[in-house]
Amino acid sequence: MQHIISIGDFDRNGIDRLLDHAGQIDKKKYDANALDGRILAVLFFEPSTRTRLSFESAIARLGGTSIAVGSVEACSMAKGETLADTIRVVSGYADAIVIRHPKEGAARLAAEFSTVPVINAGDGAGQHPSQTFLDLYTIRQSMPLDRLDIALVGDLRYGRTAHSLASALSLYNARLHTICPKGLELPATLSEELAEKGMEIIEHESIDDVIREVDVLYVTRIQRERFPDSASYFNVASSYRITPELLADAKKRLIILHPLPRVDEIDPRVDSLPHAKYFEQSRNGVPVRMAMLMQVMQ
Ligand code: CP
């Protein structure tokens, strides 16, 4: 039984294999009945559009079905049932579980109590491995993954997609540039881990400082829901914005990614530029998650 809790559960070969498989699926080379009769439980205790619906789309496209809980209020956790008991019960109803939860470590805890594979769809400010697979897949559609200069922009403290992506890119000899409001730097434990793996991490004051040299601009939303109060959020909100003017000196091959949803960090005028890949990125969630489901459910 294979759980997918952290991108750190994969080595480079494992990541490449999954991306290759997603590429085959994208070309419609897959068995539409591969997961016929299988049931995916989709437990989302935080809001989601892309992750939840693309997992549901993925299982349907493979001939399976899904059962879902969309909030704590909608299930017996509202009556005081623990996450552990919920998982014990749900793993008797389904062949795999996808879980999103506001607490870091919740998916790993779920895996301890589950009798079926668990996929982490985001645990607080921790990890979001399925997002990383589709991020890497999207980059690979434009350029090889090796030796990239990539800028992570935004909320690097609470942004789980940035954490997972940085970890994965340490396997591909990337150079990491970080630009974030004060106080929203990458967690020290993660920076130290990346540095131990030999990753060069360079902090910058502004996007302007780095726009000429990066291949990928990975923009993230300030994670308002993780701030202790509104005042501390508004201190850093709207502190950066990607505009066509900012991109005037960018490399021709630069791509802009964003896990979405965006708030105000990318000007809508950027959407029509060839650099903008974020809607393709969200579309790639389906083939990538189909590959993930086939890996853990077959
Ligand atoms: N990228 C992402 O996780 O989006 P959702 O929150 O809509 O699932």
Side-chain angles (χ1 to χ4, degrees), residues 31-257:
D31 173 5
N33 294 311
L35 297 181
D36 185 24
R38 315 303 294 278
I39 298 173
L40 180 68
V42 179
L43 307 184
F44 272 60
F45 302 115
E46 274 193 336
S48 169
T49 298
R50 280 145 289 272
T51 313
R52 178 173 169 179
L53 294 183
S54 60
F55 267 118
E56 294 204 37
S57 173
I59 186 77
R61 286 178 191 276
L62 291 167
T65 54
S66 57
I67 53 176
V69 166
S71 67
V72 168
E73 292 70 33
C75 71
S76 288
M77 284 171 71
K79 303 176 207 163
E81 188 165 42
T82 62
L83 179 62
D85 280 0
T86 302
I87 295 295
R88 280 188 177 111
V89 171
V90 173
S91 60
Y93 300 158
D95 301 297
I97 295 172
V98 177
I99 181 169
R100 171 171 289 188
H101 195 282
K103 287 218 170 77
E104 202 170 327
R108 200 163 291 285
L109 183 132
E112 278 176 34
F113 291 93
S114 179
T115 55
V116 298
V118 171
I119 298 177
N120 181 7
D123 61 326
Q127 285 266 326
H128 194 345
S130 67
Q131 179 71 43
T132 298
F133 281 117
L134 71 91
D135 294 343
L136 296 174
Y137 184 78
T138 310
I139 296 170
R140 218 174 68 157
Q141 286 180 321
S142 295
M143 61 191 88
L145 289 175
D146 256 311
R147 301 195 175 280
L148 293 172
D149 273 281
I150 177 165
L152 299 182
V153 180
D155 185 346
L156 309 186
R157 175 177 180 182
Y158 298 118
R160 57 196 174 202
T161 64
H163 300 166
S164 295
L165 182 60
S167 293
L169 287 172
S170 71
L171 302 173
Y172 293 88
N173 305 307
R175 183 156 52 181
L176 199 63
H177 303 267
T178 62
I179 302 112
C180 62
K182 200 166 166 41
L184 296 186
E185 294 83 7
L186 283 175
T189 46
L190 177 60
S191 298
E192 283 157 22
E193 190 185 307
L194 297 173
E196 273 168 27
K197 289 181 181 165
M199 192 176 215
E200 189 180 352
I201 306 175
I202 309 163
E203 293 181 9
H204 301 271
E205 291 285 316
S206 76
I207 303 169
D208 255 335
D209 294 344
V210 77
I211 194 64
R212 287 161 205 79
E213 61 183 292
V214 293
D215 306 300
V216 180
L217 198 56
Y218 191 88
V219 188
T220 62
R221 174 180 68 90
I222 304 285
Q223 307 278 301
R224 181 176 186 168
E225 63 275 27
R226 314 242 179 265
F227 280 68
D229 52 63
S230 299
S232 47
Y233 167 73
F234 283 113
N235 274 341
V236 291
S238 305
S239 47
Y240 53 93
R241 185 171 172 85
I242 312 301
T243 61
E245 294 75 26
L246 180 72
L247 298 168
D249 294 328
K251 281 183 184 174
K252 190 163 177 236
R253 79 166 190 166
L254 169 82
I255 61 167
I256 304 169
L257 302 182

